Amino acid sequence: MIRVTDIQKHFGALHVLRGITFEVKKGEAIVIIGPSGSGKSTLLRCINLLVEPDSGQVFIDGVQVNRHGIRHEWVREQVGMVFQSFNLFTHLTAIDNVTLGLIRVKGMSRDKAVEKARVLLARVGLAAKANAYPAELSGGQQQRVAIARALAMDPKAMLFDEPTSALDPEYIREVLDVMTALAREGMTMIVVTHEMGFASNAASRILFMDAGKIVEEGTAEEIFQHPKEERTRAFVSKILR
Amino acid sequence: MSDLRVYLRNHWRYFDAALALVVIIGTLAYIYDLLVGSRGLDVAYIARNYTLYIHAVFTNVYATTIAYLVGMAIGFSVGWLRTARTVSLARFAASMRTEKRERREDPSQREGARRLLVVVSLLWYGTKYVVRRIGDGFVEIIRGTPLYVQILFASSFFIVFLPQYATEGLLIGIIALAINTGGYQAEIFRAGLQTVHSGQIEAARAIGFSRLSAMRYVVLPQALRLIIPPLTNEYIGLFKASTFLFVLGVPTEISYLAQHEGFAGDVFEIFAIVTAIFLAITVTLSFVVQALERRFRIPGLGIEQVKVARGVRLARVGG
């Protein structure tokens, strides 16, 4: 579904990604962990081309997408993204946040878009909040609207960039529940998170990244209980406490 | 005692309004006394002449509004241009690297097409860079020189290069005002666009919006709300500044003040008319804009500008 080969990315003198290669099969949920600054977010952004890799290839459904002649907008329609800081459109209600892309990007009629958005908001448990503005919602509610907004575009895969890091502890659970349900339904997902519970429950594999490289890859048990690499062990022991 | 307090609390807004009225009337009365107290205001003169000024106001509003709207187009374009990260030699280099890489990976592509791509990108980035620098210079020149000089410059320009239009004072004036307000509005738009969080654009791009439609549907609606107050300021400023057009022979309110009657004895009557007209228009505008702001306010975001009366009513409920 998503294949990435030997991605390199520099920001000025900073060498952020140093040759990343991995593959995500259809229906898999991959969790990426790693210390801050290890390049996790940049890697996610390289996949939907919000950041263009300096070299290496990104394949989505067998099509190389980071090349001239492929519209970035098309790529981003294929891959939904959820951000750490939600980034809901502040001037629109929850339901308008979900319908905007449907109407303006997909060209759907307003009635159909609203119908679809209602279904999605109900799916993330926010049917009652359809007409609330983002500033009137809690962090957890905002993030669930953001998930609905991304799902509305019928993406083939979803990217989550630390979706719970900006949330108060009492709201983390509701967002993780939505994500777990999504993984169970067979959505292909790449999730950058430090939520060990989610990683153990929902992840097919876990990648540990450090300094722009994938250091270790394995199941939750392998990574958390029996890490092979010293750096993984050091990191895991820090976050498991 | 407590009866009095309840009474005061319940009727406070009447005292409040009365107080405001007393202050305004008192101030005006003091100014009146200071300026015309000894000889009295010639009401008959005002009654005879005010139509002249009303006529001038129409010209004035007309010139201001057209210049303002044209200036808005200029301001938005230049302002947006100035937010663009064009100076991206780095970006150009990145694009070239991609191109080189693809040529390496897929040598079958025709060399001619590749060359064309390089030339087109070079032109594109080069143009963007130059245009942006022109925008920067434009804003600095407009902000850095007096409007009066700009109007005279526009007039001179027409006299020298387009003499057939040199007598069209209103046209020249509107052009000069439009360019002037364009420079100022560019900065207002730039501030508005840059204040919208970059995450908003990223989110729009992530669901497949192009740069242009992200601007149209996500950034601009938010930026416009933010810049309603400074844009109003700019309109009021421009409205007052448009009286300068009298130097081009356009009859504006102060033409009469400056030419006809100046210091002929009726000067304070003229001041009275001009002041009343300007206040009537600007205060009305303030009310309209305040209504607009309330209409477009985003619920839950920022501090709402509460009407004074509403605060009083709340206090009453509390009592």
Side-chain angles (χ1 to χ4, degrees):
Chain A
M1 170 62 71
I2 294 176
R3 189 154 60 88
V4 160
T5 53
D6 194 27
I7 284 203
Q8 303 273 347
K9 180 68 196 176
H10 297 256
F11 285 124
L14 209 62
H15 197 170
V16 187
L17 297 179
R18 301 162 183 259
I20 301 274
T21 301
F22 74 99
E23 190 174 355
V24 185
K25 295 198 184 65
K26 195 169 165 55
E28 269 192 317
I30 303 288
V31 164
I32 302 178
I33 60 173
S36 68
S38 58
K40 298 163 297 185
S41 293
T42 307
L43 176 60
L44 279 195
R45 281 169 166 71
C46 280
I47 292 172
N48 70 352
L49 302 184
L50 281 177
V51 168
E52 192 147 356
D54 293 340
S55 67
Q57 291 105 40
V58 180
F59 294 91
I60 294 174
D61 248 1
V63 180
Q64 189 190 340
V65 294
N66 62 326
R67 52 184 296 140
H68 283 299
I70 297 237
R71 281 173 59 241
H72 289 189
E73 288 78 17
W74 178 81
V75 178
R76 297 189 191 119
E77 263 187 79
Q78 314 298 309
V79 188
M81 185 157 191
V82 173
F83 300 90
Q84 181 177 358
S85 47
F86 330 136
N87 296 348
L88 287 184
F89 306 133
T90 56
H91 62 302
L92 298 176
T93 58
I95 193 154
D96 287 342
N97 262 278
V98 181
T99 57
L100 188 70
L102 289 173
I103 296 170
R104 301 296 174 193
V105 177
K106 289 223 186 278
M108 198 180 269
S109 76
R110 174 164 289 278
D111 291 347
K112 271 189 156 173
V114 167
E115 200 177 306
K116 182 168 189 183
R118 288 205 186 283
V119 172
L120 283 164
L121 284 179
R123 187 164 157 196
V124 297
L126 287 173
K129 293 289 183 184
N131 293 316
Y133 283 85
E136 297 169 325
L137 298 172
S138 74
Q141 291 170 334
Q142 288 191 52
Q143 193 60 297
R144 284 185 285 152
V145 174
I147 293 174
R149 176 176 70 180
L151 287 176
M153 306 306 285
D154 289 326
K156 292 178 178 153
M158 289 276 285
L159 310 173
F160 291 85
D161 186 10
E162 304 206 28
T164 57
S165 302
L167 294 175
D168 288 333
E170 74 253 44
Y171 299 133
I172 290 178
R173 182 62 180 277
E174 61 192 51
V175 172
L176 290 180
D177 285 348
V178 169
M179 289 167 57
T180 309
L182 208 54
R184 295 264 151 81
E185 287 162 28
M187 174 59 80
T188 310
M189 294 163 59
I190 303 178
V191 185
V192 171
T193 186
H194 291 149
E195 292 297 332
M196 295 309 125
F198 176 79
S200 310
N201 289 334
S204 357
R205 270 182 297 145
I206 295 178
L207 307 182
F208 172 66
M209 273 182 76
D210 190 21
K213 282 183 173 158
I214 295 177
V215 176
E216 194 170 344
E217 184 179 338
T219 62
E221 203 198 328
E222 284 166 356
I223 297 286
F224 294 141
Q225 314 295 337
H226 318 289
K228 290 200 264 304
E229 300 285 330
E230 182 51 43
R231 274 187 289 175
T232 318
R233 199 170 301 139
F235 181 74
V236 166
S237 73
K238 266 185 234 156
I239 57 167
L240 275 187
R241 264 188 298 122
Chain B
M1 178 61 199
S2 91
D3 277 357
L4 181 65
R5 273 173 58 190
V6 170
Y7 180 82
L8 278 179
R9 189 175 288 159
N10 288 347
H11 296 82
W12 165 244
R13 62 189 149 141
Y14 302 117
F15 291 105
D16 183 41
L19 189 67
L21 218 60
V22 166
V23 170
I24 292 171
I25 293 174
T27 311
L28 288 177
Y30 180 71
I31 293 172
Y32 176 81
D33 189 55
L34 205 65
L35 295 178
V36 294
S38 54
R39 63 180 190 95
L41 199 64
D42 185 354
V43 180
Y45 175 88
I46 294 178
R48 243 187 352 266
N49 289 291
Y50 78 97
T51 47
L52 210 60
Y53 294 87
I54 298 287
H55 181 73
V57 166
F58 280 118
T59 317
N60 219 325
V61 170
Y62 168 76
T64 306
T65 306
I66 292 185
Y68 186 74
L69 293 177
V70 174
M72 194 174 267
I74 299 174
F76 172 66
S77 314
V78 176
W80 189 12
L81 199 76
R82 269 162 63 87
T83 65
R85 283 176 301 166
T86 60
V87 199
S88 89
L89 273 177
R91 204 137 155 214
F92 177 69
S95 168
M96 288 301 100
R97 270 201 302 276
T98 311
E99 193 274 332
K100 216 176 195 173
R101 189 190 71 216
E102 280 176 14
R103 186 166 36 185
R104 208 170 46 234
E105 286 163 2
D106 184 6
S108 67
Q109 299 239 8
R110 275 180 300 129
E111 191 61 17
R114 291 294 180 196
R115 288 239 172 82
L116 188 69
L117 186 80
V118 172
V119 171
V120 168
S121 334
L122 199 59
L123 275 176
W124 172 239
Y125 284 103
T127 311
K128 266 171 92 173
Y129 177 84
V130 171
V131 169
R132 152 126 201 214
R133 283 287 171 249
I134 290 174
D136 293 349
F138 170 70
V139 170
E140 293 308 333
I141 288 171
I142 293 300
R143 275 200 307 205
T145 57
L147 173 64
Y148 194 64
V149 173
Q150 290 165 17
I151 291 174
L152 291 180
F153 178 83
S155 168
S156 313
F157 178 89
F158 272 86
I159 290 169
V160 174
F161 293 103
L162 295 162
Q164 65 271 37
Y165 295 112
T167 53
E168 302 283 340
L170 189 60
L171 175 76
I172 299 172
I174 288 175
I175 291 173
L177 288 180
I179 292 174
N180 177 271
T181 188
Y184 283 98
Q185 288 190 46
E187 284 298 88
I188 296 175
F189 274 101
R190 185 170 69 88
L193 296 177
Q194 287 180 340
T195 310
V196 175
H197 196 272
S198 61
Q200 297 282 314
I201 303 170
E202 205 175 34
R205 307 274 283 151
I207 51 175
F209 276 96
S210 66
R211 228 170 261 280
L212 203 67
S213 32
M215 172 58 65
R216 161 79 180 78
Y217 295 110
V218 175
V219 180
L220 210 50
Q222 296 182 42
L224 282 176
R225 282 174 171 84
L226 290 168
I227 63 178
I228 289 175
L231 278 180
T232 312
N233 252 354
E234 179 57 25
Y235 185 87
I236 292 177
L238 190 69
F239 176 61
K240 292 181 292 181
S242 71
T243 52
F244 267 136
L245 296 193
F246 80 87
V247 299
L248 302 176
V250 179
T252 68
E253 295 84 345
I254 58 172
S255 314
Y256 306 110
L257 193 58
Q259 297 159 9
H260 289 235
E261 319 280 356
F263 306 104
D266 293 320
V267 66
F268 292 118
E269 282 73 10
I270 298 172
F271 273 126
I273 298 172
V274 171
T275 307
I277 288 174
F278 274 102
L279 280 180
I281 287 180
T282 52
V283 171
T284 312
L285 196 66
S286 301
F287 280 120
V288 171
V289 171
Q290 269 182 34
L292 267 182
E293 277 180 52
R294 263 194 288 278
R295 163 76 183 74
F296 288 112
R297 214 186 86 79
I298 299 166
L301 207 65
I303 301 166
E304 188 175 8
Q305 194 187 12
V306 185
K307 284 188 206 162
V308 175
R310 194 183 294 174
V312 172
R313 230 175 283 135
L314 282 177
R316 205 165 137 198
V317 171

